[in-house]
């Protein structure tokens, strides 16, 4: 009886031991799972207009593929409105919540780098990676020689005109004025000069550069009221009778007005193709190189991937930026809005030599990037208001630009 009791006791002890070992193993497995979860890093990327669909399809697809290749990195997108973008970047930085990656206009890189918001990515880029990019495009992401932005979008401009009404596109300012005058009839205006805060400045800058003007000098100081810039606004005053109201007209209105038979010419970029093609049976069009002033010129506009200086995941953030810069991924971004090549291999696509793209491609040889100013929002508002006041006769071009210069040079 005693032996039987000892045997039962031994079996019970062994059972408890086995359960203990199993519990220990389960505990180890649980810790392994927790460690795996801890190893996953989540990076955040700020994309303007994302909630309204801007690059949403393209980034959703790219993020899915990136996360599959990099299971230890997750990417979450934060959206911001276009007009609030720069102020939101400052607010998030001051609250120490700046996203790891931010999509910004390259025009704002000076402002944010001088404020310490952006990380200098010069040392992160290998020579091989740099060689993939078209050099003068990559340079638009630099401030004082340092790479604070890596371009992700490049746009140029062309002159869209009614090919049934205008047999030959105007080649210079004088011809532009004459053709605009000839085609201002009834409800139709001959040309358009939008001055909206969202996009108007880029279109105005085309003319500033064509007249040999600039916004800031080599030292970064404002020279807005220069002789050349005053002359540009004086030319705008001549055009004023042949354009729709510059204050209420936005860049996005132009193609709609064109296909509605309300506009004979306007300046814009490759993103207009879909709208223009839909209406081409009733309003046929062609694209030409921008008319020249004292010289050929166009505003070169780029948006860039930037990195927060206070990011705790800079290595992972740069991995995503590098992934997006691969040819197969960059081509998808470039195609989204009819943009132009960022990478050398993209430029080999024959579509950039067709009748639609060639004028916009060829003018880039004479292009000037958007000015790097201390604060883009302040400049943009003051400058567009000055142009509006000059065009509507509230102030002379000289007075309008003198006020703008005084306001911004404080």
């Amino acid at each position: 009886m005693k032996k039987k009791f000892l045997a039962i006791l031994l079996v019970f002890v062994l059972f408890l031991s086995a359960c203990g070992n199993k519990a220990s193993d389960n505990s180890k497995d649980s810790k392994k799972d927790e460690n795996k979860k801890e190893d996953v890093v989540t990076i955040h990327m700020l994309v303007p207009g994302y909630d309204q669909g801007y690059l949403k399809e393209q980034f959703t697809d790219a993020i899915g593929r990136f996360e599959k290749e990099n299971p230890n990195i997750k990417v979450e997108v934060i959206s911001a409105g276009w007009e609030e973008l720069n102020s939101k970047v400052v607010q998030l930085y001051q609250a120490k919540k700046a996203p790891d990656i931010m999509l910004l206009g390259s025009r704002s890189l000076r402002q944010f780098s001088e404020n310490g918001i952006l990380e200098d990515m010069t040392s992160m880029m290998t020579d091989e990676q740099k060689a993939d990019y078209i050099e003068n495009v990559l340079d638009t992401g630099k401030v004082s020689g340092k790479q604070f932005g890596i371009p992700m979008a490049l746009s140029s401009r062309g002159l869209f005109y009614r090919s049934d009404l205008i047999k030959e596109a105007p080649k210079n300012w004088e011809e532009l004025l004459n053709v605009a005058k000839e085609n201002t009839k009834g409800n139709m205006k001959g040309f358009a000069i939008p001055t909206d805060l969202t996009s108007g400045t880029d279109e105005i800058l085309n003319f500033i550069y064509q007249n040999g003007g600039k916004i800031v000098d080599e030292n970064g100081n404002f020279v807005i009221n220069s002789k050349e810039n005053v002359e540009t606004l004086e030319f705008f005053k001549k055009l004023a009778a042949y354009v729709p109201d510059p204050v209420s007209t936005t860049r996005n209105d132009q193609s709609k007005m064109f296909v509605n038979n309300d506009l004979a010419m306007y300046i814009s970029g490759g993103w207009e193709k879909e709208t223009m093609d839909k209406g081409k049976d009733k309003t046929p069009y062609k694209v030409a190189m921008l008319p020249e002033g004292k010289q050929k010129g166009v505003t070169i506009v780029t948006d860039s991937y930037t990195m927060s200086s206070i990011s705790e995941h800079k290595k992972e953030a740069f991995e995503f930026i590098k992934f997006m810069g691969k040819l197969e991924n960059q081509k998808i971004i470039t195609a989204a809005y009819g943009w132009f090549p960022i990478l050398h291999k993209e430029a080999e696509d024959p579509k950039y030599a067709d009748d639609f793209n060639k004028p916009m491609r060829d003018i880039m040889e004479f292009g000037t990037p958007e000015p790097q100013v201390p604060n883009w929002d302040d400049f943009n508002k003051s400058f567009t208001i000055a142009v509006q006041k000059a065009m509507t006769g509230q102030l002379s071009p000289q007075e309008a630009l003198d006020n703008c210069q005084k306001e911004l040079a404080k």
Side-chain angles (χ1 to χ4, degrees), residues 115-352:
N115 290 338
I117 294 173
L118 303 182
E119 181 74 11
D120 175 11
M121 295 184 284
T122 306
S123 62
M124 299 181 187
M125 293 190 76
T126 64
D127 290 341
E128 183 180 8
Q129 186 183 5
K130 291 175 186 175
D132 288 340
Y133 288 82
I134 297 170
E135 187 176 1
N136 65 344
V137 178
L138 185 61
D139 286 348
T140 63
K142 291 181 179 179
V143 178
S144 301
K146 296 180 180 180
Q147 200 78 49
F148 286 99
I150 298 179
M152 53 75 65
L154 165 67
S155 64
S156 182
R157 302 293 186 273
L159 177 70
F160 292 74
Y161 68 97
R162 279 283 294 268
S163 55
D164 59 333
L165 303 177
I166 302 166
K167 298 307 177 186
E168 188 174 352
K171 294 182 175 59
N172 55 52
W173 284 11
E174 184 181 356
E175 291 181 8
L176 176 66
L177 179 61
N178 290 334
V179 175
K181 181 179 180 180
E182 290 168 4
N183 287 278
T184 298
K185 301 172 184 177
N187 292 327
M188 178 177 283
K189 292 293 186 179
F191 189 57
I193 302 176
T195 61
D196 59 293
L197 287 174
T198 304
S199 307
T201 294
D202 287 332
E203 311 317 322
I204 298 164
L205 287 172
N206 293 317
F207 291 91
I208 294 288
Y209 296 147
Q210 288 162 13
N211 201 46
K214 56 179 72 170
I215 298 300
V216 293
D217 62 18
E218 293 75 14
N219 299 315
N221 299 314
F222 284 110
V223 288
I224 291 173
N225 59 344
S226 68
K227 175 186 174 184
E228 292 81 5
N229 294 350
V230 172
E231 289 174 350
T232 299
L233 263 61
E234 287 172 347
F235 176 66
F236 278 12
K237 283 202 72 174
K238 294 179 182 178
L239 278 168
Y242 315 119
V243 304
D245 176 35
V247 178
S248 62
T249 303
T250 71
R251 188 180 71 182
N252 290 337
D253 294 331
Q254 296 182 122
S255 59
K256 298 171 188 174
M257 293 177 69
F258 190 98
V259 298
N260 285 336
N261 206 38
D262 293 327
L263 193 62
M265 295 184 293
Y266 71 97
I267 291 172
S268 196
W271 52 88
E272 306 286 11
K273 186 170 176 43
E274 184 178 351
T275 299
M276 296 295 282
D277 283 349
K278 285 180 180 177
K280 67 181 179 181
D281 290 339
K282 292 183 178 179
T283 52
Y285 76 97
K286 288 184 179 179
V287 182
M289 192 180 287
L290 299 189
E292 62 182 271
K294 293 177 182 177
Q295 61 191 28
K296 290 182 172 69
V298 68
T299 311
I300 299 297
V301 182
T302 63
D303 291 337
S304 290
Y305 297 105
T306 67
M307 187 186 301
S308 166
S309 62
I310 59 175
S311 168
E312 296 180 356
H313 307 298
K314 292 173 184 174
K315 179 182 176 183
E316 292 82 2
F318 192 74
E319 281 299 313
F320 182 73
I321 294 173
K322 192 164 64 173
F323 174 83
M324 291 305 302
K326 291 181 179 179
L327 178 62
E328 61 271 22
N329 299 324
Q330 182 58 55
K331 285 173 69 175
I332 293 170
I333 297 295
T334 299
Y337 290 94
W339 290 324
F340 280 80
I342 296 284
L343 308 174
H344 286 293
K345 288 186 177 179
E346 280 188 284
E348 296 172 4
D349 192 323
K351 76 177 182 180
Y352 295 111

Side-chain angles (χ1 to χ4, degrees), residues 53-73:
Y54 178 72
L55 293 175
K56 192 166 190 174
E57 179 183 341
Q58 292 79 9
F59 275 127
T60 299
D61 174 67
I63 289 170
R65 289 184 288 105
F66 175 78
E67 291 179 345
K68 191 173 182 179
E69 290 183 23
N70 301 271
N72 62 318
I73 306 174

